[in-house]
């Protein structure tokens, strides 16, 4: 058993607002049965399958029985309720790594009684979904005549809101910026960064950085892009000769095209890099 979550759900037809009151969770337990480090639980409350609405609770420090007592509101048309589900996912905050998923509760909103406040005590189920660190849209272009690689950091979306300052656990909007590191044969040789966007989980940067790179070096080049908050890495990914998947495809397209190419890329656990 992973524990239980207590919450209420009520729909206001006049305001077209769905109100979720997260009361508490009890007896939180990891899948392997034992905590190897303190449990610092917080909840992500969202509507599926759209994932357009995602809210987060405060982090509760060192407890497996957190009392949240927090209210979340979603603007939803009544006809939309039939296809949506409320998902509450419990995580354990980790300052130096990706947050651990404890479990989740899923409620189809088609089952909701619209005439009253609905009260639920629900067992948490395993979740295979990784913690979403957000995405970054990047444009890459290589000007062959000038032997110049230009990276345009366009915008990010869905950055995580949970943040810890000192010993006070709180939810805060990140102050993101993007750091771009140039790697040659795996060695970092240069780095540049954008300006910082204050209190923004969907920041628009539209800033360019450039590197002078000879054609002969292109087969040895990688770019490590990291979305940062203060000195902490929110998430990263690698684009270049040694990248994999979509990031490698993006790099190959840039080398063969005569124009800049832009793609969204999912931010990954910075421990990988």
């Amino acid at each position: 058993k992973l524990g239980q979550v207590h919450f209420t759900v009520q729909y206001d037809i006049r305001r077209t607002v769905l109100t979720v009151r997260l009361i508490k969770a009890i007896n939180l337990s990891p899948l392997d049965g034992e905590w190897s480090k303190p449990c610092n639980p917080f909840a992500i409350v969202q509507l599926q399958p759209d994932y357009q609405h995602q809210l987060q609770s405060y982090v509760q420090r060192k407890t497996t029985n957190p009392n949240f007592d927090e209210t979340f509101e979603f603007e939803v048309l009544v006809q939309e309720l039939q296809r949506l589900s409320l998902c509450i996912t419990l995580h354990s905050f980790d300052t130096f790594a990706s947050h651990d998923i404890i479990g989740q509760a899923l409620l189809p909103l088609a089952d909701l009684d619209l005439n009253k406040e609905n009260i639920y005590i629900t067992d948490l189920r395993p979740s295979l979904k990784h913690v979403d660190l957000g995405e970054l849209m990047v444009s890459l272009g290589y000007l062959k005549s000038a032997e110049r690689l230009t990276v345009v950091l366009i915008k990010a979306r869905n950055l995580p809101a949970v943040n810890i300052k000192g010993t006070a656990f709180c939810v805060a909007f990140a102050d993101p910026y993007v750091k771009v590191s140039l790697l040659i044969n795996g060695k970092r040789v240069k780095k540049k960064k954008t300006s910082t966007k204050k209190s923004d989980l969907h920041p628009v940067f539209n800033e360019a950085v450039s590197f002078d790179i000879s054609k002969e070096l292109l087969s040895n080049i990688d770019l490590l892009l990291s979305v940062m908050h203060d000195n902490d890495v929110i998430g990263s990914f690698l684009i270049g000769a040694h990248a994999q998947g979509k990031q490698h495809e993006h790099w190959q397209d840039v080398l063969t095209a005569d124009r800049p190419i832009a793609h969204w890329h999912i931010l990954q656990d910075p421990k990988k890099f």
Side-chain angles (χ1 to χ4, degrees):
K1 285 204 170 187
L2 302 175
Q4 293 181 317
V5 60
H6 296 209
F7 61 98
T8 68
V9 183
Q10 189 167 18
Y11 186 72
D12 187 326
I13 296 179
R14 181 181 59 83
R15 296 172 58 219
T16 64
V17 169
L18 183 77
T19 300
V20 180
R21 180 172 170 245
L22 180 62
I23 302 171
K24 63 180 179 179
I26 61 172
N27 299 328
L28 296 179
S29 177
L31 278 173
D32 58 12
E34 293 184 7
W35 291 106
S36 59
K37 50 193 171 184
C39 177
N40 301 314
F42 69 95
I44 292 179
V45 183
Q46 61 187 174
L47 300 184
Q48 297 181 356
D50 293 350
Y51 297 97
Q52 293 179 354
H53 308 283
Q54 178 171 300
L55 301 173
Q56 294 183 225
S57 76
Y58 287 88
V59 177
Q60 305 296 316
R61 187 178 184 184
K62 295 182 179 179
T63 178
T64 56
N65 295 282
N67 288 301
F68 294 106
D69 195 18
E70 296 184 50
T71 300
F72 308 90
E73 291 190 341
F74 302 91
E75 291 187 8
V76 183
L77 296 175
V78 65
Q79 57 265 34
E80 292 289 292
L81 295 177
Q82 295 298 313
R83 69 176 189 86
L84 294 175
S85 294
L86 172 68
C87 182
I88 300 176
T89 307
L90 272 293
H91 304 256
S92 180
F93 188 94
D94 191 323
T95 309
F96 303 106
S98 60
H99 311 315
D100 297 321
I101 295 179
I102 301 170
Q104 69 178 198
L106 197 64
L107 173 69
L109 295 179
D111 299 339
L112 206 62
D113 187 336
L114 302 184
N115 298 312
K116 67 174 185 178
E117 182 179 51
N118 299 257
I119 302 172
Y120 299 94
I121 301 175
T122 305
D123 290 337
L124 293 173
R125 304 289 184 183
S127 172
L128 298 178
K129 184 179 183 296
H130 295 291
V131 177
D132 186 6
L133 299 175
E135 297 175 271
L136 180 67
M137 178 179 274
V138 181
S139 172
L140 294 178
Y142 184 69
L143 186 59
K144 297 176 182 177
S145 59
E147 296 191 322
R148 182 179 301 118
L149 177 67
T150 299
V151 184
V152 182
L153 295 316
I154 300 174
K155 57 185 175 180
R157 63 187 179 192
N158 300 326
L159 299 180
V162 174
N163 180 42
I164 289 183
K165 285 292 187 183
T167 58
F169 281 60
C170 63
V171 170
F173 292 112
D175 297 332
Y177 64 93
V178 182
K179 182 171 69 175
V180 183
S181 300
L182 175 65
L183 285 68
I184 299 179
N185 293 320
K187 182 179 179 180
R188 302 187 194 201
V189 295
K190 290 183 181 179
K191 62 181 179 180
K192 299 184 179 182
K193 64 181 181 179
T194 68
S195 60
T196 299
K197 304 299 180 181
K198 293 292 185 180
S199 300
D200 197 344
L201 302 183
H202 308 277
V204 176
F205 298 102
N206 283 329
E207 297 183 36
V209 298
S210 296
F211 301 96
D212 294 325
I213 301 171
S214 67
K215 299 183 184 72
E216 293 76 22
L217 281 177
L218 289 175
S219 60
N220 301 314
I221 290 296
D222 292 291
L223 296 171
L224 179 62
L225 293 95
S226 300
V227 178
M228 311 287 294
H229 170 78
D230 290 339
N231 293 319
D232 298 323
V233 184
I234 296 174
S236 303
F237 59 88
L238 194 72
I239 292 182
H242 303 97
Q244 297 179 345
K246 184 178 179 180
Q247 289 76 31
H248 186 259
E249 292 175 8
H250 191 178
W251 179 253
Q252 292 299 317
D253 290 344
V254 168
L255 296 184
T256 56
D258 293 324
R259 57 181 176 80
I261 298 176
H263 282 302
W264 283 103
H265 293 283
I266 296 173
L267 295 173
Q268 302 172 37
D269 188 338
K271 290 188 299 182
K272 294 181 179 179
F273 309 99

